[in-house]
Amino acid sequence: GDILNYLGGNRWGHVVMALDPPQALETPTLVSAERFPVGAVPLDTYTAKLYRASRDEKWGFEIEGEENNATLAVVGVPYLGEAIQRWNADHRSQCIHLGDHVVEVNGVRGTASDLLAVCEGVNELNLALWRPQDTAVVAYNVPIFAVKVLQSASNMRDIAESTVCIAVHPLRQCVCAVGPARDGFRVNMGHSGPVEVQVMMSPLCNSSMDFGLFRLAVNEVVRAPHDQKWSMRTAVRSYLRNAALRSDRYQKPKAKVRLGQRLSERWAARPICSTVPARIWQKYLLKRAYKNRGAKVDAADGGCNFSAEAAFADDVLRYMPVKDDRVLPDDLVAMLTDSQGWETLNLEAGPPERRIGDRPTAGQGDPGLSGDKQEIRLHGASGAIRRASLEPGAKNKDGVPVRLGIDHFTVYCGQQVSRPRTATARLFDAEGEPPKPAAKISWDGRCGPLQGPQCSSCRWLEDRLMATEPQVQHL
């Protein structure tokens, strides 16, 4: 449930939601195409020792770029100084080439001006040089963390699971995005440098999170039968409209119930990236509110529970006070930072106190958790599940009897809710398989009854269902 906010990859940012605990591995080499901070030295350097007979002899160094902003002195004049020529004659396998960067002089690192100042007053230089190439080695044997996440993006056909990799940048001491390279991993670059990743840690922990309900919320978002492709309309709406929910506007119970109803109606809108974590967390909070009050919405005497709906609105205003169909990534992060519980991971201070006990010991789970919680703690919220059988006589919001579709998950009533027409929906090839990307179909106008479009009343019921089969299946 933690949120990763990618900074610098594009103008608006990009957020994804973690599904599984991060898996650690070690890369032999971490490389980067970035401009190194002043005084930082690539690890794939070589050394040379130069002498000159007098100070009248030129070393053959000059500065490339703006002097005040340069981080490296450069061997770049049209000739090689006599001292360099002597070194090259005696060291054929380690010659200094035109264009090589001087990154350290007599133990001094800094800007090009700093390095040239050291060169002027001496006749002997111990140099560290780096030969420019597409990437430079930042560090060796670097821990990499692979995280399974849920995300939506303009180049994706659906909300989908994927694996991202992050690492602590050895020079900048920040979390950054990395990807596989030929001999290890490479720092991902944005428009102004490495892509930093802001880790927003959720307000809940192992003892307060209901893992089963959270996985159910994830499944409902991933497996929804309506179109889940990233939406330009939602992106424009997010840019033009305010996404914040102000708690002072929802003080009375009736106002809270109306808020909860409006929020769940918005969950059918096509997403952008920041829609995904907001929608899942709000779905989870709704289910938790019903479960905490023992309200079974699919029971014969079930239906809307006023107390649960009001409690849901309270939790949303506390933990996820946004409208999921109109929130930009940077707005989402700002609102969560101002809300109760969400905190940005601080590498120096470590995780919040409530999260310190969440990490299991090596090869072990947490003996204080039950089997289901233990399994999800170790394997996360990814993977398909089955919904528990509905109660006999279960009905949707309009009082129409319902049943589960062929996926044993989606709720349908089979009622005629529209005239026959062409519609966009996600269909299943077989039980247990994820739905196919949305496509145009010839729709008879009915809700289901086995798969396909779903009416708003059945979706309302589905949002408030809590039970799943105890057996967990992984895709």
Side-chain angles (χ1 to χ4, degrees), residues 324-406:
D324 80 303
D325 65 337
R326 62 193 65 186
V327 60
L328 291 171
D330 52 349
D331 292 335
L332 175 65
V333 171
M335 293 173 198
L336 294 185
T337 302
D338 292 338
S339 68
Q340 299 184 37
W342 291 87
E343 296 181 47
T344 304
L345 176 63
N346 185 311
L347 293 179
E348 294 184 1
E353 185 176 353
R354 67 178 181 278
R355 299 290 299 275
I356 293 176
D358 282 357
R359 181 174 59 87
T361 56
Q364 300 292 329
D366 186 339
L369 296 179
S370 64
D372 287 345
K373 287 190 174 184
Q374 188 78 271
E375 197 277 337
I376 296 177
R377 177 178 183 179
L378 296 176
H379 300 287
S382 59
I385 58 177
R386 276 191 174 193
R387 195 184 299 278
S389 298
L390 300 176
E391 293 285 336
K395 298 177 182 180
N396 64 18
K397 186 179 180 182
D398 292 336
V400 180
V402 295
R403 57 173 293 180
L404 297 180
I406 60 172

Side-chain angles (χ1 to χ4, degrees), residues 223 406-407 410 412 426-430 433-436 451:
R223 299 163 66 180
I406 60 172
D407 60 345
T410 309
Y412 293 112
R426 305 167 75 210
L427 304 179
F428 295 85
D429 280 333
E433 294 295 323
K436 295 185 293 185
Q451 64 171 334

Side-chain angles (χ1 to χ4, degrees), residues 187-260:
V187 176
N188 293 346
M189 300 297 294
H191 52 76
S192 60
V195 177
E196 295 188 24
V197 180
Q198 186 178 18
V199 182
M200 299 293 298
M201 305 200 74
S202 79
L204 304 184
C205 60
N206 278 344
S207 59
S208 56
M209 169 74 81
D210 188 317
F211 296 103
L213 288 186
F214 196 83
R215 174 177 274 181
L216 179 56
V218 170
N219 268 256
E220 287 183 357
V221 170
V222 172
R223 299 163 66 180
H226 54 268
D227 191 359
Q228 295 274 55
K229 192 177 187 302
W230 186 93
S231 169
M232 177 58 73
R233 176 178 294 183
T234 303
V236 172
R237 181 168 56 241
S238 301
Y239 177 73
L240 296 176
R241 298 184 181 180
N242 183 16
L245 294 173
R246 292 175 48 184
S247 59
D248 59 335
R249 295 182 177 180
Y250 307 101
Q251 296 295 318
K252 296 181 179 180
K254 287 186 177 180
K256 294 177 182 179
V257 172
R258 287 196 297 270
L259 171 62

